Amino acid sequence: MTNNIKYFIGNLKMYGNTNYLKSMQKVINFSYKKKHKKFKIVFCPPYTILSDFVKLTKNTQIEVGAQNCHHNEYTGSFTGSISPNMIKSIGAKYIIIGHSENRVTGETNSIINKKIISTLSQKLNVIFCIGETSKEKKLNKTNSVLKKQIINGLKNIKKIDKIIFAYEPVWCIGKGKIPKTNDIKNQFKYIKKILFKNFKTLNPTIVYGGSVDQNNVESLCQINEIKGFLIGGASRKPNKFIDIVKKSIN
Ligand code: PEP
């Protein structure tokens, strides 16, 4: 692998049932064949098949994560919610936190901060989503939005080595478009600058998310700052997902 791509994270969103598990076998077989290459595949299915995914991928190259959690670490009277401890107890290793599809329903930076703290306390990895909306971009607010999301989302957190930052411009998610190469580079540099200033981290893990597919992935791989991808729509089709990985690691 000549580029820096290490992570391929599939976010299945509210898609996938037990039938999907059968097609996952293709991804498992593929990862076996490529196991000498140093990359990680993480799948984040809906809660209903999370446990099935963990069982299916046991002793494989693939790890499993949840798509969200409650901010309470253990238990409580929170109907319909799942805690980081519950997610850990079934063997999942990651939780996506701060996804824009949850931010729009009222998830604030302060709630996100609590979720990240609870998840890290459980020694799980966080996939922390940040990114500007199209309105914020038009108003030239991208940097200030990212700064606020990072500083407030990571309040009272000292160590960020178990956090993967997912830069996801909201205007690219599910829209079939990606930012200009230079814009991605600049945003990654800016995120790195904030993280260095606040956590003295020189080499944070930052992945890109937003309409990654088999057609644009090769050009995205040319951007040295990108260490992996958060893949929504294209992760629903194992062949497409495999194609993305193949094109990135060859
Ligand atoms: C996402 O929702 O995190 C995402 C990246 O979606 P898509 O790839 O479909 O744009």
Side-chain angles (χ1 to χ4, degrees):
M1 225 181 328
T2 50
N3 56 38
N4 288 320
I5 307 300
K6 188 173 164 209
Y7 285 95
F8 298 90
I9 305 165
N11 172 15
L12 287 180
K13 310 194 184 198
M14 201 172 72
Y15 291 92
N17 50 27
T18 45
N19 286 335
Y20 186 89
L21 290 166
K22 288 181 208 132
S23 52
M24 254 315 274
Q25 195 57 48
K26 280 187 189 166
V27 183
I28 295 173
N29 295 345
F30 164 78
S31 72
Y32 272 134
K33 277 191 235 145
K34 300 278 178 191
K35 68 172 182 233
H36 57 285
K37 303 245 183 189
K38 286 199 169 62
F39 66 91
K40 260 184 206 258
I41 292 178
V42 181
F43 259 84
C44 301
Y47 291 134
T48 45
I49 50 171
L50 198 52
S51 184
D52 296 313
F53 253 76
V54 172
K55 284 180 202 145
L56 184 75
T57 55
K58 201 167 182 217
N59 301 323
T60 72
Q61 308 287 106
I62 299 170
E63 293 185 310
V64 178
Q67 295 174 18
N68 200 357
C69 63
H70 192 270
H71 61 71
N72 192 302
E73 196 180 332
Y74 293 98
T75 51
S77 300
F78 302 108
T79 305
S81 299
I82 313 273
S83 73
N85 175 259
M86 289 165 164
I87 291 165
K88 183 182 181 164
S89 72
I90 59 152
K93 298 218 158 53
Y94 296 76
I95 305 182
I96 297 176
I97 298 176
H99 196 283
S100 59
E101 285 156 13
N102 295 321
R103 289 182 188 262
V104 285
T105 64
E107 193 179 67
T108 60
N109 286 325
S110 144
I111 294 174
I112 288 166
N113 176 242
K114 288 182 187 156
K115 290 184 178 188
I116 296 179
I117 291 175
S118 293
T119 301
L120 293 177
S121 301
Q122 284 296 307
K123 302 201 169 13
L124 293 173
N125 302 286
V126 173
I127 299 159
F128 178 23
C129 299
I130 51 176
E132 79 285 2
T133 62
S134 66
K135 190 173 169 200
E136 289 159 346
K137 183 177 168 58
K138 276 182 202 133
L139 293 169
N140 267 328
K141 287 186 170 170
T142 302
N143 283 358
S144 62
V145 167
L146 291 176
K147 187 174 178 184
K148 209 167 166 187
Q149 289 175 338
I150 295 171
I151 302 293
N152 295 348
L154 298 182
K155 202 169 158 204
N156 298 324
I157 291 170
K158 301 254 164 335
K159 282 183 72 187
I160 58 167
D161 52 313
K162 283 179 89 71
I163 302 180
I164 296 172
F165 295 84
Y167 172 56
E168 298 207 292
V170 182
W171 51 278
C172 292
I173 295 179
K175 297 284 191 300
K177 55 182 172 189
I178 56 170
K180 292 187 189 113
T181 299
N182 259 348
D183 287 348
I184 299 184
K185 279 188 180 177
N186 287 339
Q187 290 333 141
F188 269 62
K189 279 187 189 144
Y190 184 71
I191 295 165
K192 274 180 126 175
K193 190 174 143 190
I194 306 267
L195 294 175
F196 180 71
K197 198 167 168 212
N198 291 278
F199 300 93
K200 302 285 166 272
T201 315
L202 280 170
N203 212 5
T205 303
I206 314 174
V207 302
Y208 169 80
S211 294
V212 176
D213 64 24
Q214 65 284 12
N215 301 316
N216 58 27
V217 74
E218 279 162 310
S219 66
L220 287 165
C221 284
Q222 305 299 316
I223 305 174
N224 264 330
E225 287 79 4
I226 297 182
K227 293 211 182 145
F229 302 109
L230 179 50
I231 305 158
S235 68
R236 296 205 286 277
K237 297 264 182 287
N239 285 341
K240 278 191 183 177
F241 186 85
I242 290 170
D243 226 20
I244 290 173
V245 183
K246 269 190 191 159
K247 286 182 169 163
S248 308
I249 62 171
N250 287 330

